[in-house]
Amino acid sequence: MTATPSQTIGRPNGPKPSLKGKSSRGIILADRAATVVLWGTGVLVLTILGAIIVHFALAAWGVVTLNFVVSDPSETALGGVMPILWNSIYMLALTMLIAVPVGILGGIYMSEYAGENRLTNAIRFAEEAISSVPSIVVGLFGLILFVDDLHLGFTALGGALALTFFNLPLMTRLSEQALRAVPQDERSASLALGATKWQTIRHVVVPLAIPGLITGVILTAGRVFGEAAVLLFTSGIGTPPHYDFTNLDLTNPASPWSPFRPATTLSVYIWKLNSEGLGVFKNQIVDGSAAILISMVLIFNLGARFIGRVLSRRLTAA
Amino acid sequence: MAQLTNTYRATGLRAAPSLRQRIDLPRRVVFGAAASMIFIVVLLLAFITWQGLQLFIKDGVSIGQILSPTWQPDSTSPNLSFGLLPFIAGTVYVTALALLISTPVSVGLALFLSEVAPGWARAIVQPALEIFVGIPSVVWGWLGITILVPFLSHTFHGGMVLSLPIAGDVFRVPGFLTGFSWLAGSLVLSIMIVPTITSVSYDAFRAVPQELRTGSLALGTTRWQTIRHLLIPSALTGVLTAIVLGMTRAAGEALAVQMVIGNSPSMPAAITQPVTTLTSQITLDMGNTVFGEPWQDALWTMSLVLLVISISSVVLVRVINKRRMGA
């Protein structure tokens, strides 16, 4: 194989350059091989992702029906996941209710107030430390704090707080990035008009950062929705009873609206079914639940992109 | 961008804090929100450390004993022993193999995205990687069980031996029994950490100034020569950071590994054999033990080991990056 002119562009005729004694043909071949290999990594990732999506689409075919989504595990031969799906959504809502305000306020401090000092450094260290602590250890922390010491038992609230601990750094960092992306001129203009710092933040910086903040919320939500290790020993592993949605008494553990009850989510349910290994339809139920999880991940990701794009277009056009 | 903001702040757009600013309520609230993370870390460190030390304080187990390879935690067992070595070794070996598989692919992918891919390819691969990050670990574990494990046990049920004429057998592994194995665990992990290593390495490659690339190419080098002799050396600290972060994620991953690794509490012997890790054993045993019994205390000690690993890696990343700033 000879090198065509297109690969030797910019190389003078005459003595061929050589690096470490290699022939120039060898160098060009190495370059071509590297290009092929690097393209290969990109193709590999797309192939794996495509295969996973197709695999679950096929596995979920005939399993994920309306009946599967709306019935109790014991109701039909195959079983359903309605209470478990409800728990996943409930836990997501409860966690975001705590994590979003705290995360955004923390992001405001890190972006607008924090100076280059030891305290900021300590906060950053804490942020990195929590992000690197294994999720199972955060779950154990929840176990000892809420279950063993506060004697709450396995509760949705304990699980949601443990999830908040785990995801607060992500939410804070994404908020900080979104706020930092607001041009400095906007702040200067507002301050020059006599607005106080807080007025500037509330009426200028935060509104301008809303697309980024929403993207951050959705990305965090995606992670919260699929998390299981944090919840095994905080909100509990079990098959939920039949839920009576007319029971609105929040202090009654039998009410599906109460935060003081065990709440097995979809991810935890998959782990539970797999480790118990019982049931004729185990594989179908797990495949169906996993397909629901994957679809939610896709929806969260595409939703974050779409909403972020639409909002930023609308806000910049206005 | 961050640099710009800091410069503005440094030039003192804000006047010296007045009394009103010092008692600024919003400032206190947002500070409290940010500082809550310090509170969480301190609390977490305190609780896990205290629980993790109970095995030594309350149960009187010696440090030497936890380094033994014998794990017999059941109080009815005649020779009770809390050797954590199989779990520590399992975590180290499984993580090391996962890094060995994942690093070349991930760094290659980062190079592809930063140096080779045209805009349209990047616009497809980057969102795909973000979806990878979002796939829950139980789903990875389930894919491991339904696809990888049967594949391994069907394809490689015979043992593998690599013999050389004089040296004899230099490499020998028995065949897979069930497919639940060290290799299965490492393969599942290696896929899970691709996004971590890729995104951090990608940032490191992007941070290399464009002038260096054009300068190198103007000297007549090929793209691969530029990558090998210029980009990889300049971005090395960033790539190292990426590998440490990937390692942390792999060592701390619990459910996916537990589902495919076979969970056999013995020292890892071959990649085709079942092993166990710190995270898998905690996941399996925590629900079956009683709070306060030595068996559970040993599990808390395992979680303390995990905590030490993760905090050390945060410090390690800081050290690596500080050196880069200094150089």
Side-chain angles (χ1 to χ4, degrees):
Chain A
M1 198 160 93
T2 50
T4 55
S6 65
Q7 271 109 37
T8 52
I9 277 175
R11 183 161 300 161
N13 292 327
K16 293 182 172 169
S18 85
L19 203 65
K20 290 189 178 169
K22 278 190 208 156
S23 70
S24 92
R25 183 187 289 181
I27 289 170
I28 288 160
L29 277 179
D31 184 52
R32 280 194 164 185
T35 306
V36 171
V37 169
L38 294 180
W39 269 94
T41 59
V43 173
L44 181 71
V45 165
L46 289 181
T47 313
I48 293 177
L49 184 64
I52 289 172
I53 292 174
V54 170
H55 170 83
F56 277 115
L58 293 176
W61 188 258
V63 176
V64 184
T65 56
L66 185 64
N67 208 19
F68 183 73
V69 178
V70 300
S71 52
D72 279 357
S74 54
E75 222 167 279
T76 60
L78 172 66
V81 292
M82 189 277 284
I84 300 128
L85 188 59
W86 162 255
N87 281 338
S88 278
I89 297 168
Y90 181 87
M91 291 294 291
L92 176 67
L94 195 59
T95 308
M96 298 312 272
L97 206 64
I98 314 165
V100 169
V102 181
I104 291 181
L105 289 174
I108 291 178
Y109 179 79
M110 295 308 278
S111 151
E112 308 298 318
Y113 289 95
E116 293 289 319
N117 55 35
R118 252 188 211 173
L119 197 58
T120 311
N121 202 19
I123 295 175
R124 291 223 184 278
F125 187 84
E127 203 176 77
E128 289 163 26
I130 306 177
S131 315
S132 79
V133 169
S135 53
I136 184 82
V137 175
V138 176
L140 291 181
F141 172 54
L143 170 68
I144 189 128
L145 190 61
F146 303 121
V147 182
D148 289 337
D149 285 352
L150 298 177
H151 301 291
L152 289 174
F154 294 123
T155 57
L157 183 65
L161 284 171
L163 274 175
T164 303
F165 295 164
F166 191 54
N167 289 290
L168 198 54
L170 181 71
M171 189 67 233
T172 309
R173 197 173 57 242
L174 292 173
S175 308
E176 184 190 342
Q177 281 168 6
L179 293 161
R180 276 196 193 275
V182 174
Q184 195 59 33
D185 294 349
E186 305 280 354
R187 294 183 184 82
S188 314
S190 167
L191 291 170
L193 288 172
T196 63
K197 187 166 179 73
W198 181 246
Q199 285 173 325
T200 304
I201 291 169
R202 242 195 84 187
H203 299 289
V204 177
V205 181
V206 171
L208 282 170
I210 277 186
L213 291 175
I214 288 183
T215 309
V217 169
I218 299 179
L219 290 178
T220 310
R223 214 168 82 147
V224 168
F225 197 79
E227 181 55 52
V230 167
L231 297 178
L232 288 182
F233 308 118
T234 48
S235 63
I237 319 163
T239 305
H242 176 73
Y243 284 146
D244 173 16
F245 286 94
T246 55
N247 185 346
L248 294 176
D249 180 7
L250 291 189
T251 55
N252 181 350
S255 163
W257 304 94
S258 164
F260 306 105
R261 63 184 172 92
T264 303
T265 64
L266 268 180
S267 306
V268 175
Y269 193 59
I270 292 178
W271 186 80
K272 171 190 142 72
L273 286 180
N274 177 64
S275 44
E276 286 176 352
L278 302 168
V280 195
F281 294 106
K282 182 193 108 185
N283 284 17
Q284 282 92 325
I285 300 173
V286 175
D287 275 334
S289 310
I292 295 177
L293 275 177
I294 295 260
S295 332
M296 295 303 283
V297 167
L298 286 173
I299 292 170
F300 280 127
N301 263 284
L302 301 177
R305 273 170 191 279
F306 178 74
I307 292 177
R309 200 173 298 164
V310 166
L311 277 178
S312 68
R313 193 178 302 152
R314 186 165 296 171
L315 288 177
T316 45
Chain B
M1 186 65 222
Q3 210 52 49
L4 192 69
T5 322
N6 287 339
T7 324
Y8 265 102
R9 202 170 283 143
T11 52
L13 263 179
R14 253 184 306 147
S18 66
L19 182 67
R20 229 184 89 208
Q21 258 176 331
R22 262 180 279 149
I23 54 162
D24 194 356
L25 182 66
R27 188 194 162 103
R28 284 190 181 180
V29 172
V30 293
F31 172 73
S36 68
M37 289 189 292
I38 298 182
F39 181 66
I40 294 170
V41 165
V42 170
L43 214 58
L44 189 145
L45 283 174
F47 273 76
I48 300 287
T49 309
W50 175 247
Q51 278 302 318
L53 293 177
Q54 289 304 310
L55 187 65
F56 310 112
I57 300 170
K58 187 165 61 66
D59 308 320
V61 171
S62 69
I63 306 258
Q65 193 187 340
I66 67 160
L67 293 174
S68 91
T70 321
W71 170 252
Q72 271 163 355
D74 197 336
S75 55
T76 58
S77 162
N79 35 1
L80 200 63
S81 173
F82 297 98
L84 302 188
L85 201 59
F87 311 104
I88 299 173
T91 294
V92 171
Y93 288 16
V94 171
T95 304
L97 185 61
L99 283 177
L100 218 57
I101 301 167
S102 191
T103 305
V105 177
S106 311
V107 175
L109 189 59
L111 282 170
F112 171 71
L113 288 172
S114 116
E115 307 301 320
V116 179
W120 62 265
R122 204 177 306 147
I124 300 172
V125 176
Q126 267 174 342
L129 271 179
E130 279 171 29
I131 293 172
F132 253 72
V133 182
I135 295 181
S137 71
V138 280
V139 174
W140 287 117
W142 181 244
L143 283 168
I145 289 176
T146 49
I147 298 173
L148 183 65
V149 167
F151 170 78
L152 289 176
S153 68
H154 280 126
T155 321
F156 305 106
H157 51 268
M160 281 169 278
V161 178
L162 178 67
S163 292
L164 290 178
I166 302 164
D169 296 354
V170 289
F171 180 74
R172 175 197 285 275
V173 282
F176 287 97
L177 292 169
T178 54
F180 291 94
S181 56
W182 171 0
L183 182 63
S186 291
L187 280 172
V188 167
L189 278 180
S190 66
I191 297 181
M192 292 180 71
I193 59 178
V194 162
T196 311
I197 305 185
T198 303
S199 66
V200 181
S201 313
Y202 172 79
D203 290 343
F205 290 130
R206 288 318 303 164
V208 176
Q210 193 59 37
E211 290 79 7
L212 289 183
R213 286 188 190 83
T214 28
S216 164
L217 291 170
L219 289 173
T221 61
T222 62
R223 183 163 62 196
W224 175 238
Q225 285 177 320
T226 306
I227 290 174
R228 243 194 82 190
H229 299 287
L230 182 84
L231 278 170
I232 293 184
S234 351
L236 199 61
T237 48
V239 175
L240 277 181
T241 305
I243 295 173
V244 174
L245 291 175
M247 183 208 79
T248 318
R249 174 131 199 248
E253 177 50 50
L255 303 186
V257 178
Q258 185 270 326
M259 288 162 90
V260 300
I261 204 161
N263 303 298
S264 150
S266 51
M267 291 299 285
I271 55 170
T272 53
Q273 300 301 304
V275 293
T276 188
T277 62
L278 292 164
T279 50
S280 340
Q281 199 65 29
I282 295 173
T283 316
L284 276 180
D285 283 1
M286 195 48 100
N288 306 325
T289 50
V290 183
F291 185 66
E293 74 168 308
W295 187 345
Q296 194 178 83
D297 289 339
L299 300 175
W300 288 105
T301 309
M302 291 186 201
S303 63
L304 179 58
V305 174
L306 283 170
L307 192 61
V308 170
I309 294 176
S310 59
I311 300 289
S312 323
S313 76
V314 175
V315 176
L316 186 62
V317 165
R318 293 209 150 203
V319 169
I320 292 174
N321 286 304
K322 200 164 272 175
R323 188 169 290 170
R324 181 177 56 182
M325 303 285 180

